[in-house]
Amino acid sequence: MSKIKNISHDLYKIDQIKYTKYIIKDCSAKKKEYDVDKSKKDPINIKNIGYISLYYNQNPIIYITTPVMVCLFGMKNQIMSLQFTNLKADKEMESFFKFIKNIELNNMINLGIKDESDYDKYISQIRYDKNGKYDPNLSVKVPFVKNCYDIDIYSDEYDTCNIRNLNNFTKMKCDIYIDKIWKFNEQFICKWKAKVIYLV
């Protein structure tokens, strides 16, 4: 079982993230095939754009460890909501929040989303409470591959942990990553995915 890697987000310089565009060869085909797009066009203006790969130092994923966060509602529909707890008072949490936000802003710029009128074409993974009462949270997907969850979960306290049985308000650190921006229904989305969960 993999353990938490403790990779700080501070190791990344966001402006050094590279983006490679992939277009759909044949939009009518059931099984999609993709080609690299070498044009200078912004992805937002490419009708048959499939996805955009992110690279950092030629590594095809951006992999980081979260601070200790509260998983608000356990896991629902393969999604965990990790709260940026004590955002205003906790410097580490504030730095992590800014990193996530700045990556999203960088993604938008590289997609060609620069006008406010186009902002709704990018789906942020940061969720805000409508009434502004609570700290925001980060939506993190738990990958499901070949009929099982592709994740390691462990705790120093318990011998066995099950991703299906996460309680509300569980404290955890996670190794999470992004690798691609996908286009769905005229909107772009870059989902953070969990790889390792350490229950604290």
Side-chain angles (χ1 to χ4, degrees):
M1 174 178 286
S2 297
K3 300 282 185 177
I4 285 284
K5 290 182 185 285
N6 289 313
I7 298 173
S8 171
H9 60 277
D10 291 339
L11 296 172
Y12 289 95
K13 291 187 172 74
I14 291 174
D15 60 358
Q16 290 181 15
I17 296 171
K18 305 287 184 213
Y19 297 81
T20 302
K21 300 170 287 184
Y22 288 84
I23 53 173
I24 304 168
K25 278 186 186 180
D26 179 359
C27 293
S28 63
K30 278 191 178 178
K31 191 179 179 189
K32 298 282 187 279
E33 292 184 349
Y34 302 93
D35 268 338
V36 173
D37 177 73
K38 293 181 178 172
S39 76
K40 296 278 171 95
K41 270 189 181 179
D42 287 329
I44 195 174
N45 297 321
I46 301 173
K47 288 207 166 158
N48 60 333
I49 190 76
Y51 65 91
I52 299 96
S53 277
L54 281 66
Y55 294 88
Y56 194 86
N57 291 340
Q58 298 181 334
N59 192 343
I61 64 170
I62 292 167
Y63 194 101
I64 57 171
T65 305
T66 70
V68 174
M69 300 177 84
V70 174
C71 181
L72 294 175
F73 315 114
M75 184 180 65
K76 289 188 174 177
N77 302 320
Q78 290 176 238
I79 299 291
M80 299 187 300
S81 293
L82 302 184
Q83 189 176 53
F84 296 99
T85 319
N86 297 325
L87 180 55
K88 289 179 181 169
D90 184 333
K91 292 292 179 197
E92 183 190 10
M93 193 65 76
E94 182 187 28
S95 173
F96 179 68
F97 174 77
K98 283 181 178 172
F99 174 80
I100 298 290
K101 201 169 175 67
N102 287 336
I103 278 209
E104 292 199 338
L105 289 170
N106 198 61
N107 287 350
M108 289 170 74
I109 289 165
N110 279 276
L111 289 167
I113 299 172
K114 291 159 189 167
D115 293 327
E116 218 168 299
S117 59
D118 288 330
Y119 285 178
D120 62 346
K121 291 182 178 172
Y122 187 89
I123 302 171
S124 174
Q125 297 308 290
I126 299 172
R127 307 283 189 258
Y128 294 91
D129 162 37
K130 285 174 186 169
N131 300 317
K133 269 187 177 180
Y134 305 105
D135 288 318
N137 58 73
L138 179 65
S139 179
V140 176
K141 184 176 181 180
V142 178
F144 193 75
V145 181
K146 294 179 182 172
N147 292 326
C148 66
Y149 290 104
D150 183 24
I151 193 160
D152 286 330
I153 178 168
Y154 72 102
S155 162
D156 294 336
E157 223 172 298
Y158 307 103
D159 289 335
T160 56
C161 305
N162 192 325
I163 186 69
R164 291 181 184 86
N165 299 332
L166 281 181
N167 295 323
N168 292 358
F169 308 110
T170 300
K171 286 188 176 181
M172 58 176 65
K173 277 177 92 165
C174 302
D175 282 343
I176 61 174
Y177 67 94
I178 47 174
D179 53 0
K180 293 178 179 68
I181 304 170
W182 288 92
K183 187 180 183 186
F184 290 113
N185 299 327
E186 301 306 311
Q187 290 180 300
F188 291 92
I189 186 165
C190 183
K191 289 192 175 182
W192 287 96
K193 296 180 275 279
K195 188 65 184 165
V196 184
I197 296 174
Y198 172 47
L199 305 179
V200 298

